[in-house]
Amino acid sequence: MPPAAREREKAQKLLAQKSAIATPKGGSKRATPAQTPTRIPATPKAGTPIPRQAPVIDQRELDLSALNLVSNEPAKVDEVVPKEAFAKEKLLEEVRSTLAVQEKDKKALSIVVIGHVDAGKSTLMGRLLYELGRMDERTKTANERNSSKAGKSSFSWAWGLDGTTEERERGITMDIAQQAFSTPHRAITVLDAPGHKEFIPNMISGAAQADCAILVVDAAPNEFEAGFERGGQSREHLILARSLGIAQIIIAVNKLDQVGWDSARYEEICGLLRPFLVQSGYHPSKTKFVPVGAMQGVNLAVREGEDGKMLSTWYSGPTLVDLLDALDAPTRDIASPMRIPISNIFKGQGSGTYVTGRLLSGVVQVGERVRILPGDETGVVKVIEVEDESVPWAAAGTNLTLSLVSVDPIQLNIGSILCPPTNVVPLAVSFTARIIIFNIQVPIITGAVVELFHHSQDVPASISKLIATLDRSSGKVLKTNPRVLAKSTSAEVQITLRPPNNSTVARPIALEPYAVNKAMGRILIRREGETIAAGVVMTILG
Ligand SMILES: Nc1nc2c(ncn2[C@@H]2O[C@H](COP(=O)(O)OP(=O)(O)OP(=O)(O)O)[C@@H](O)[C@H]2O)c(=O)[nH]1
């Protein structure tokens, strides 16, 4: 019998022994807006003792608030070389004052566009780029001409985002495409995620780099339902995005032209999604719905033309751009040490190797030496590019491209973490985590074979120990050493990395406890192509 089938059989047997499972009491706690964002003290000047304080947990993050993460453990702040600390302090002053001016005018944020395959995500983004003046007439005409030549004229807007030959031939997004545009009060980086189930790891990588999400759903008969049923990507993407910390979401109900701009269909879709969104941890005040027609550009920036008129007979609310313009900007954690998970690597035209990623915390500047983890290698930042412009420094929350020199490119891998050599991220092959188990059909038992996702990295792992089941409301231990974890349980577990196929030794990955750095402490667990749990890192065991 194959190991997965054996594991499934064993789990089901154990589950049948009902006494082994402590069922959590009470429903999950709903999100409440946080008043106090986590703040780790700024790096002080040399000689000043570093104040230590317990991290404050952002209760907006409902998915994880159910894990009851408030901890009295002090945040770990590594010692820094005094000279460097001084330079950093000066830089931080400059960063703060520059950001204060920039953000007065336009606040910056990143959005990931998610949803079931063919919902119209790339079309929506391509058309939006055009409406907002970020795609010129020449590019538009070229995309129309070339997509028509290839017999794919309905994808002409999507070609603005789907740039590779394979993506264009197959008519699907495979990797994350990044673009930028501005609304009157927001400077937005947009990450177009693939909708196909096969490319979920890329979708996870995109969502881990974003502050907010747009879920695009297809209003055509049966199409919305296909994305929303069990195994549908609208459903899975919503859960994944929330588990990765995304709390604000816009639901773009697309292709309403296919149903003659029927208000009843729009209301039906909103009505089906609302309870699921709440159940998945999205606060209703952070969830907005908007009817759109991506292909015709209806209700993106304006509501004009015949289709616009039909929509206006029953809808007078905001356009998509109005909603984007009102999104809350994230808090930038610039005072914590620099952390950049690498999401892509390429050879550019200039010298050096180019890496892309999101600066999760801290500040990075040109000329700075960075450590690449795992491994012993360092490199020097030669160029920082943000939205195709070269900048001297970038602050937390920025999606950037770095050119690294003085580094052997072989040492750079997707999923590696860049950090300061003086403040490195711990490496782990084993750690404890608090997790929430999704609506799984096969329960989890000790030794369960899984895939662990951390930013752009996925590695083989196992749930090596079931430490305790937890009450989802209070976080209190319900049962220690449970024999099985059933669906919707909250639990503390030990996760141990397994050796990859071609090796006998597990390779460590760089991650941090959630209490030290939230963005570095989130994990997702998948099994046989299904996401089975999400959680946060508690303790690195080694
Ligand atoms: N009728 C109609 N068709 C649309 C609309 N928006 C998109 N489409 C069509 O839907 C198909 C899929 O569009 P894409 O933009 O590639 O969908 P996607 O969600 O990006 O696809 P993946 O990234 O591969 O999941 C294309 O044929 C589009 O022309 C719309 O508003 N109305």
Side-chain angles (χ1 to χ4, degrees):
M1 192 187 292
R6 212 176 306 128
E7 193 179 288
R8 193 175 302 131
E9 191 175 281
K10 192 169 164 200
Q12 264 149 0
K13 264 193 207 146
L14 281 167
L15 189 64
Q17 299 163 14
K18 283 202 172 77
S19 60
I21 309 165
T23 312
K25 290 187 183 70
S28 65
K29 216 160 74 180
R30 296 285 165 238
T32 50
Q35 300 302 320
T36 331
T38 302
R39 280 235 157 266
I40 298 177
T43 312
K45 286 181 185 164
T48 313
I50 296 166
R52 296 194 159 219
Q53 67 179 48
V56 179
I57 299 300
D58 186 341
Q59 291 298 316
R60 267 179 311 192
E61 294 167 46
L62 170 98
D63 53 315
L64 302 174
S65 72
L67 293 172
N68 203 296
L69 292 162
V70 180
S71 150
N72 293 324
E73 286 283 310
K76 282 182 200 142
V77 181
D78 284 4
E79 274 189 27
V80 283
V81 180
K83 199 167 151 239
E84 195 176 298
F86 181 72
K88 256 301 179 293
E89 184 64 13
K90 279 260 175 268
L91 176 67
L92 284 179
E93 260 173 45
E94 186 189 322
V95 171
R96 281 198 189 95
S97 60
T98 310
L99 288 179
V101 175
Q102 276 175 6
E103 303 234 312
K104 224 186 220 172
D105 184 25
K106 268 186 209 271
K107 291 191 173 20
L109 50 87
S110 315
I111 293 188
V112 63
V113 187
I114 57 176
H116 197 65
V117 66
D118 278 352
K121 299 176 288 297
S122 306
T123 303
L124 181 78
M125 280 305 118
R127 181 80 202 216
L128 193 58
L129 288 174
Y130 176 71
E131 301 275 323
L132 295 173
R134 288 302 299 242
M135 185 193 288
D136 56 30
E137 286 295 336
R138 246 183 60 198
T139 312
K140 173 182 170 269
T141 314
N143 284 343
E144 278 169 357
R145 195 179 46 240
N146 296 335
S147 61
S148 166
K149 252 195 223 162
K152 302 253 174 208
S153 55
S154 74
F155 288 92
S156 87
W157 290 111
W159 279 28
L161 279 292
D162 295 340
T164 69
T165 312
E166 194 177 353
E167 284 179 318
R168 290 179 170 194
E169 274 171 8
R170 291 178 65 179
I172 57 168
T173 306
M174 296 164 77
D175 208 344
I176 292 287
Q178 187 173 318
Q179 292 282 351
F181 59 78
S182 276
T183 62
H185 304 100
R186 297 287 178 268
I188 296 175
T189 301
V190 61
L191 302 137
D192 182 31
H196 201 286
K197 206 174 168 63
E198 195 186 325
F199 305 112
I200 282 266
N202 294 348
M203 178 272 161
I204 292 174
S205 164
Q209 298 176 62
D211 305 301
C212 321
I214 300 177
L215 173 77
V216 182
V217 295
D218 184 340
N222 301 323
E223 294 299 333
F224 169 76
E225 287 73 11
F228 191 54
E229 68 196 12
R230 196 186 165 91
Q233 297 310 294
S234 304
R235 183 174 281 266
E236 177 151 29
H237 285 191
L238 280 174
I239 296 173
L240 290 173
R242 188 67 194 93
S243 306
L244 291 166
I246 290 177
Q248 287 184 88
I249 187 150
I250 296 171
I251 317 291
V253 181
N254 188 31
K255 304 197 194 178
L256 278 165
D257 55 298
Q258 298 268 37
V259 291
W261 296 97
D262 180 10
S263 65
R265 178 61 171 160
Y266 174 70
E267 288 305 335
E268 182 193 7
I269 290 171
C270 298
L272 288 166
L273 278 169
R274 265 190 205 103
F276 181 74
L277 285 160
V278 171
Q279 193 192 326
S280 308
Y282 294 92
H283 195 276
S285 67
K286 303 282 177 206
T287 311
K288 307 284 178 206
F289 290 84
V290 63
V292 295
M295 183 96 105
Q296 317 294 335
V298 181
N299 210 30
L300 304 187
V302 289
R303 244 182 341 263
E304 285 173 351
E306 277 310 305
D307 290 80
K309 264 193 222 150
M310 283 166 83
L311 175 59
S312 296
T313 58
W314 54 268
Y315 181 82
S316 57
T319 61
L320 176 61
V321 170
D322 294 334
L323 292 179
L324 291 170
D325 201 44
L327 285 169
D328 294 337
T331 313
R332 289 168 179 267
D333 181 11
I334 59 169
S336 289
M338 175 227 301
R339 303 291 185 241
I340 309 174
I342 297 178
S343 61
N344 214 346
I345 303 168
F346 59 98
K347 195 85 197 118
Q349 282 174 341
S351 62
T353 305
Y354 286 78
V355 299
T356 59
R358 178 170 167 89
L359 178 52
L360 300 178
S361 56
V363 174
V364 62
Q365 58 181 320
V366 170
E368 185 164 4
R369 184 167 286 280
V370 291
R371 176 80 182 264
I372 301 142
L373 288 173
D376 301 324
E377 196 79 7
T378 62
V380 175
V381 178
K382 189 172 174 221
V383 177
I384 304 175
E385 280 178 15
V386 178
E387 287 164 26
D388 297 330
E389 274 184 25
S390 213
V391 292
W393 54 258
T398 310
N399 300 68
L400 41 69
T401 301
L402 303 179
S403 147
L404 295 178
V405 290
S406 308
V407 63
D408 180 355
I410 207 138
Q411 303 295 334
L412 293 164
N413 293 300
I414 290 178
S416 292
I417 309 287
L418 304 180
C419 60
T422 50
N423 197 324
V424 296
V425 181
L427 292 178
V429 283
S430 187
F431 60 92
T432 63
R434 285 192 171 193
I435 59 172
I436 287 180
I437 292 146
F438 297 151
N439 188 14
I440 53 173
Q441 282 169 333
V442 180
I444 296 171
I445 56 169
T446 305
V449 167
V450 296
E451 289 290 313
L452 177 76
F453 284 72
H454 180 250
H455 288 278
S456 301
Q457 174 150 260
D458 58 290
V459 289
S462 70
I463 310 283
S464 47
K465 194 169 176 190
L466 311 185
I467 299 170
T469 51
L470 310 170
D471 183 290
R472 283 187 69 154
S473 312
S474 67
K476 283 204 185 109
V477 170
L478 290 174
K479 181 176 172 61
T480 52
N481 304 317
R483 296 175 66 198
V484 68
L485 300 176
K487 66 179 177 187
S488 308
T489 316
S490 173
E492 183 145 349
V493 296
Q494 182 177 327
I495 295 172
T496 303
L497 305 192
R498 293 182 287 117
N501 277 344
N502 53 357
S503 167
T504 50
V505 197
R507 292 197 201 116
I509 60 165
L511 42 71
E512 282 178 300
Y514 183 78
V516 175
N517 188 318
K518 282 184 183 183
M520 283 291 294
R522 291 178 187 278
I523 52 160
L524 287 169
I525 300 169
R526 304 189 86 226
R527 176 174 63 186
E528 294 173 5
E530 186 191 9
T531 308
I532 59 168
V536 297
V537 177
M538 299 303 285
T539 311
I540 309 285
L541 300 174

